[in-house]
Structure formats: structure tokens, C-alpha cells
Amino acid sequence: MGHDAGVRRLNIPVISLRLDGVDGTQWSSGADEARAQLTAALTAVGRGDRAALRRVYDMTAAKLFGICLRICGERASAEDVLQTVYIKVWERAGQFDAARASPITWLATIARNGAIDWRRSVAGRTVRDTLPEQAAFAVADDSPLADQSLVAAEEGERLHHCLDELEERSRASIRAAFFDGSTYAELAERENVPLGTMKSWIRRGLLRLKDCLGDG
Amino acid sequence: MDDHLTPAEERDALAAELALGLLEGQARADALRLSLSDPAFAALVAAWEAKLAPLHGEWADAQPGAAVWSGIERQLADAPADKVTAIETRLRRWRTGALLSGAVAAALALVLITRPVPTPAPAAPQLAVARIESDAAGPLVLARYNQSNGLMQLRIHGFEPGALAPELWVIPEGGTPVSLGQIGHAGEAEMTMPPPHRLLMTEGATLAITMEPVSKTPHPAPSGAAVASGKIITI
């Protein structure tokens, strides 16, 4: 089908996050401790411990609100979404498996998906239409912040290396999609390119990213 | 420019697009439905979420207002702590959001398909997949029902906040509607159907959504016409 690179690897997908603590040598002991505390609190939430939900909230609300605020674009909606995010956490904590995902990744994914659900909803689109246009591309490609305390540093380095291997336009578009929750149409409009061009940049970038990361 | 992808690459790209949130409208609805009906595709989506997970280290923190936690507490207070009433709890948890649903454009369509999962695994579950939507830009409900263990999972999108919340009903052929509880205006919800309700999920029965005043317990009967309905079909 146009590829001359021979057979592409099409492995069965698996969650590729590492076991907690197995090779945590790159984390400071403080980060280890924070992660262990969060894992313990989340596990307790899974048993129906409401006090533990408060502990999870105290440890993570600033981060998860940062996600909601960035994607929703204004505080009131972001706070509404954040509330639904922690209710979801309460309901789903029993499904959290510390052997498969880090607690902060699990929580951040719920928050990001919740914020994107809101943006794609009628209410979200209505609110967003009233917001001033933001220079989101510039923000999206800011250099990484130092807050890695709850995220495995080694995996971050690998992903960033692979992102750096992509063409600039693919990398910038993928990052904008992740951090702004933008659609293809929004990205195409922002970059002033046809929709098909934007899709092509991102799809090729994503498949190259996957090749670079490997499936292991 | 070489954009010819193999079918497997197309599928993987679609999973990545759904994980990134690039899709909207009908394309998003179709991809969400696929992720509910096809566990292998859902695993692809989860794998992409995991690949991109290190980016979660880059979000800038922001402090939410104190009202957020009190709102969470208020919602938790609605749910009984007593595990004995687990079924009722699950019904109540269908109200996933703090935001309440409002009126929806009428004349939604619902398609429900029941089919066996194509695997030889022991006790292969029967899955029912339902999709309820008005148009590409409107509300959307995706449902997955596993007949072997009674687990119903929903993803809900795009109901407008308001005084009324969507409530899900099952209507046996020739019978009266039985409430399965209210669902949130957006987000995900799941419940294990109580055995009496499972018996109702048969071919010829109807699933319907009506807009009802917010209630902690299922209503005894719908107060208005269904905004969405469809028959369960086994194929």
C-alpha cells in the first residue's frame, strides 16, 4: 500500500506503563513518596473511603484543574468539569490498577477526557464561542515545565525524544491537540491550511511517533 | 506525500485521533461507538493514551475555588454509604455530573444491536450496543450492555444543562416503562443491572430516554414523551 519498508509491526496493543517502583531510580525519593501516597489514597477511594478522596483531591486538584482550565478556557466551566472529574474518580477508583498505570496519569487522563467531552458538547461549544481567540499554538509549544514529580521522567524523555524527531508542523499540531483539546478543524483554521493537510500532518506524525516509541 | 495507510494503520490512526480528542461530530460519535463495541479498538485507544501520558507532566497548575470541593461533597452525600444498598447506589450514580440535563431536541433515533462477541472464550458475553443521537452536532448517548453479567456502560455527550435530567427506561413488549435511573448530561456512567431488570433486556423490548425533574431515585413513570427510543434487536 505505498510503503516499501516491508511489513509494519502491528503488535497487539498493551498499556505500556511500567510497574510502579520497578525502575524508579530516576525519581527523587520525595517523588517516590508522593506517588506512593497518592497510590495508597486512590486505592482507599476504591474501597469507598471518602476521607481518602479528600486526600486525593488535596494532592491533585491543582494539577487536574490546570488541565481543565487550559482545555475549557474559562474558570467557571473548568470548575464544573473538575467537580465531575472527582465524582468519576470516586466511581471508578476501584478499577485503578497500580500495576498498570501511575496514579497521576490515570487521574490526568480522566480530567483531560472530561474537559474534552465538555468542549465537544453543545454547552462547551456555546461557551467557547464567546471566548476571545487565544494564541494557543505559542502556549502549546512552550518548553516543558519542571513539574515531573508525579510523572515518570524516563518515559517523558523517550516521548520527547520521539516528538523531537518529527517535523516541526507535526509536532506543534500534536502538542496543540493534546494541550488545547483542539479538533482537526480548529487546528487547520489556526494554521490556515486545508483540513486534509492538517490531518495528514498529524496522522503521519502520530504513526512515526509510534514507530519511534516502539510497542514494547 | 504518501497518505495511503493500510487498514490496520487507519484503525490505529483513528484510535490515536480519539485518544487525542481531534474528532468531532459524526466522526467522534462513530469512533466512540467503535471503542464501546470493540474491546480491541478500545485497547488501541488506551495504548495511545499511555504513549502520550508523559505529556501530563507539562500542565501548569491552577488553584480551583473552594466551591468545587463542597460541590463534590454534596454529590457524595447523595449516595448512600451502605454497601447493602449497592444496587440503589449504582442507580443513583448514573447521575454522574453536577450539571443537570435540560431539554433536548425531539426525535432522536436509537439503534440497539445485540450480538455475540466473536471469540471462542468461555462464556462469551452477549453485547448490546446502543447509540442515541439527534444529529452530528447534538446530544449523543452510547451504551454497551453485557448480557452475561448485566453490566451497562454509557457515555453521554451534549445534553444541555437545565432543570431536567435524562432518564433511561426499558419498556417490555406490551408492558409499562421501568426506570433504570437518571443519567448525567455528559460523561460516563456504568451500573450492574439488577436481575429483575436484566430479564427485561430482551428482543422486542424498547429503550427510551425522557427528560424528567431531577430525582435521587428512579421515577415510577415517565412524565412526558420519549426524546429517544428504539427496540432491542438481536442479530
Side-chain angles (χ1 to χ4, degrees):
Chain A
M1 298 280 282
H3 284 289
D4 56 7
V7 180
R8 279 183 172 258
R9 287 177 305 132
L10 296 167
N11 297 346
I12 307 277
V14 292
I15 303 295
S16 63
L17 290 177
R18 217 165 262 122
L19 287 172
D20 274 1
V22 168
D23 52 359
T25 48
Q26 300 211 3
W27 306 328
S28 72
S29 60
D32 266 345
E33 196 180 316
R35 191 169 154 133
Q37 282 177 359
L38 183 54
T39 299
L42 203 47
T43 305
V45 173
R47 293 191 300 263
D49 181 343
R50 285 185 193 173
L53 185 68
R54 177 68 208 225
R55 292 199 293 279
V56 170
Y57 183 88
D58 287 342
M59 282 186 269
T60 59
K63 180 165 194 79
L64 301 197
F65 187 60
I67 295 173
C68 296
L69 187 58
R70 173 72 179 265
I71 292 178
C72 294
E74 53 100 26
R75 285 190 70 91
S77 299
E79 289 188 340
D80 286 346
V81 170
L82 186 67
Q83 201 168 309
T84 65
V85 164
Y86 280 99
I87 297 298
K88 283 180 193 171
V89 169
W90 169 252
E91 291 170 347
R92 294 190 205 160
Q95 300 164 23
F96 170 68
D97 180 355
R100 291 179 54 139
S102 88
I104 195 62
T105 291
W106 190 83
L107 292 163
T109 301
I110 291 176
R112 184 174 176 276
N113 287 342
I116 286 184
D117 283 346
W118 178 85
R119 266 198 67 157
R120 302 289 175 266
S121 72
V122 174
R125 290 197 301 267
T126 307
V127 171
R128 298 272 318 173
D129 282 348
T130 66
L131 296 180
E133 193 58 43
Q134 296 165 331
F137 248 105
V139 178
D141 225 22
D142 279 351
S143 50
L145 301 176
D147 170 31
Q148 293 278 347
S149 59
L150 286 166
V151 176
E154 188 183 320
E155 285 160 10
E157 283 171 17
R158 191 160 156 228
L159 178 66
H160 286 115
H161 162 75
C162 290
L163 280 169
D164 285 344
E165 298 282 298
L166 302 181
E167 291 176 55
E168 168 62 26
R169 59 196 189 187
S170 291
R171 174 174 61 252
S173 301
I174 289 169
R175 288 181 61 90
F178 187 88
F179 289 110
D180 295 325
S182 303
T183 62
Y184 273 135
E186 290 166 341
L187 291 168
E189 189 181 343
R190 229 185 261 172
E191 288 295 278
N192 200 23
V193 296
L195 187 60
T197 303
M198 180 53 71
K199 282 190 183 179
S200 172
W201 289 357
I202 290 186
R203 287 191 142 208
R204 280 186 299 166
L206 287 168
L207 293 175
R208 280 181 194 167
L209 188 64
K210 186 182 181 182
D211 280 348
C212 175
L213 289 169
D215 281 339
Chain B
M1 192 180 292
D2 179 4
D3 280 317
H4 296 289
L5 303 182
T6 66
E9 285 172 333
E10 276 287 346
R11 191 173 150 88
D12 197 35
L14 182 66
E17 289 167 343
L18 186 60
L20 262 178
L22 285 159
L23 306 174
E24 60 189 323
Q26 192 64 48
R28 176 172 163 83
D30 289 344
L32 284 170
R33 183 177 48 170
L34 185 59
S35 73
L36 282 163
S37 62
D38 183 342
F41 181 74
L44 281 179
V45 176
W48 271 105
E49 285 177 342
K51 284 189 216 316
L52 297 168
L55 293 176
H56 285 308
E58 297 182 32
W59 299 102
D61 285 2
Q63 287 299 333
V68 173
W69 175 253
S70 44
I72 293 166
E73 277 194 312
R74 206 161 44 240
Q75 285 198 62
L76 292 185
D78 284 351
D82 183 1
K83 292 284 184 188
V84 174
T85 55
I87 288 171
E88 194 184 1
T89 304
R90 288 191 189 110
L91 283 169
R92 289 180 185 192
R93 283 185 184 176
W94 276 46
R95 304 179 312 113
T96 49
L99 310 172
L100 304 174
S101 304
V104 189
L108 310 185
L110 180 145
V111 179
L112 187 84
I113 300 164
T114 305
R115 63 167 176 76
V117 162
T119 57
Q126 284 244 307
L127 292 180
V129 177
R131 170 179 165 188
I132 312 166
E133 64 178 324
S134 55
D135 57 48
L140 171 69
V141 175
L142 297 156
R144 174 178 173 168
Y145 176 64
N146 186 330
Q147 291 183 320
S148 67
N149 62 9
L151 185 68
M152 175 86 97
Q153 296 166 298
L154 297 178
R155 288 190 77 160
I156 306 141
H157 300 272
F159 284 92
E160 298 202 61
L164 299 176
E167 189 155 354
L168 186 63
W169 307 81
V170 58
I171 310 170
E173 203 163 20
T176 53
V178 176
S179 177
L180 298 175
Q182 292 191 330
I183 62 179
H185 87 292
E188 299 181 26
E190 72 175 41
M191 67 171 291
T192 302
M193 294 269 273
H197 293 71
R198 291 183 205 182
L199 298 175
L200 304 176
M201 297 290 287
T202 57
E203 174 148 3
T206 299
L207 281 185
I209 290 178
T210 64
M211 303 307 295
E212 302 291 346
V214 174
S215 167
K216 291 178 184 174
T217 53
H219 286 99
S223 63
V227 295
S229 70
K231 282 190 182 300
I232 297 174
I233 301 162
T234 305
I235 58 173

